[in-house]
Amino acid sequence: EPSTSASAAGRSTVTIDGVELGLGGRFKVGRWAPVTVYVTISEPAKIQPNFEISDPDGSVTRVPGDVVDLSSPGAHAIHGLLKSGRTDSSLRVVLENAESAGAILAERTFRVPPAARTELADGEIPRALTQKPILIAAVGKPAGFVSAEKTGGQTDSERTGDKKTGARGERGERELQVVDFDGPGQFPTESTALDSLDVIAVADRFDFDNRRSEAVRNWVSLGGQLVLSIGGNVEKYRQSPLSQWIPVTV
């Protein structure tokens, strides 16, 4: 059930309608992930979001988000970042009145469904991935990047019968998890929100704005792997902010 509370002034009502966690619902345990909280308010409100999630020992950790000033009634999205220490951690969202310390406007807990069930019901969040899968963001549908879940759970070597290929050679492949983005406009604008990704693959869609280009640049500087498929789209690439810092001349 969505959580609804009245403000201290008795006028504004804040309802937590739902959350989105990770990129396309995917994120890794022990890494930062974006979280979006969808709320409905009856009156303008200045809100301090807080995200409570388990650390590796199972203790609850509170991660405060940035204060947001919602100046009009209606539906809004509140963005933040969190890091889960356990794959099955629940998430408690606490929205406080930023102008009245400690006054809770609304709170709601979201839980992880049983491992045997993949579809999420209302009030549930996805299970965090372990560090083992290779998590890839595919922008513009680059060829060859397909999740294992789209191939019946099989890796490349299992499909081809070649057990010497793949991310781990003769010892077997790591599972691929691919998040598809039609374009870079769906991408986060902060490099920290990309922390769960191992690879970003881009084909055709090089129309990154400056903020998203800088986020990818910072992510690469921290060890992320960026794969570009330029093909015949040389001019598109040259006009992109990406070309200003990628040390390859095309």
Side-chain angles (χ1 to χ4, degrees):
E1 294 289 330
S3 169
T4 303
S5 296
S7 72
R11 295 184 300 110
S12 182
T13 298
V14 178
T15 303
I16 300 176
D17 301 311
V19 299
E20 285 186 5
L21 184 54
L23 297 170
R26 294 180 177 89
F27 62 102
K28 288 190 174 184
V29 67
R31 297 196 191 180
W32 289 104
V35 56
T36 302
V37 182
Y38 296 99
V39 302
T40 303
I41 61 174
S42 62
E43 297 288 343
K46 186 172 289 187
I47 295 176
Q48 165 69 66
N50 298 283
F51 309 104
E52 296 183 355
I53 200 156
S54 297
D55 67 11
D57 296 322
S59 299
V60 175
T61 300
R62 172 174 280 206
V63 182
D66 294 333
V67 172
V68 292
D69 190 356
L70 306 181
S71 59
S72 61
H76 296 271
I78 298 174
H79 303 284
L81 293 164
L82 56 78
K83 183 189 294 186
S84 178
R86 301 174 69 90
T87 60
D88 59 351
S89 174
S90 59
L91 167 64
R92 180 172 177 253
V93 178
V94 181
L95 304 181
E96 296 180 347
N97 185 341
E99 298 178 312
S100 178
I104 296 177
L105 298 175
E107 59 183 317
R108 187 178 180 187
T109 299
F110 298 85
R111 305 188 185 282
V112 174
R117 178 160 56 82
T118 56
E119 293 186 1
L120 298 178
D122 183 47
E124 293 181 338
I125 55 173
R127 183 177 299 269
L129 300 172
T130 65
Q131 297 293 334
K132 184 176 180 180
I134 300 174
L135 187 56
I136 302 170
V139 184
K141 303 189 185 305
F145 291 91
V146 181
S147 288
E149 64 184 27
K150 295 181 180 179
T151 58
Q154 292 182 314
T155 60
D156 287 340
S157 61
E158 290 171 330
R159 293 195 303 275
T160 63
D162 181 4
K163 296 185 179 180
K164 293 185 178 182
T165 63
R168 290 194 172 179
E170 295 181 358
R171 296 184 180 181
E173 296 179 36
R174 293 170 62 188
E175 178 189 357
L176 299 183
Q177 291 275 344
V178 180
V179 183
D180 293 314
F181 293 88
D182 291 332
Q186 300 172 307
F187 242 52
T189 57
E190 296 182 61
S191 59
T192 308
L194 304 174
D195 189 34
S196 286
L197 294 175
D198 299 294
V199 178
I200 296 175
V202 185
D204 186 43
R205 295 300 303 271
F206 302 111
D207 50 330
F208 284 72
D209 59 26
N210 289 328
R211 291 184 65 191
R212 289 176 172 84
S213 173
E214 188 63 21
V216 174
R217 181 179 185 175
N218 292 336
W219 172 82
V220 169
S221 71
L222 295 172
Q225 299 183 54
L226 177 63
V227 179
L228 301 179
S229 177
I230 297 174
N233 300 300
V234 174
E235 287 306 314
K236 284 185 179 180
Y237 171 71
R238 287 175 176 171
Q239 295 171 12
S240 168
L242 295 175
S243 67
Q244 302 303 308
W245 59 267
I246 293 176
V248 177
T249 302
V250 178

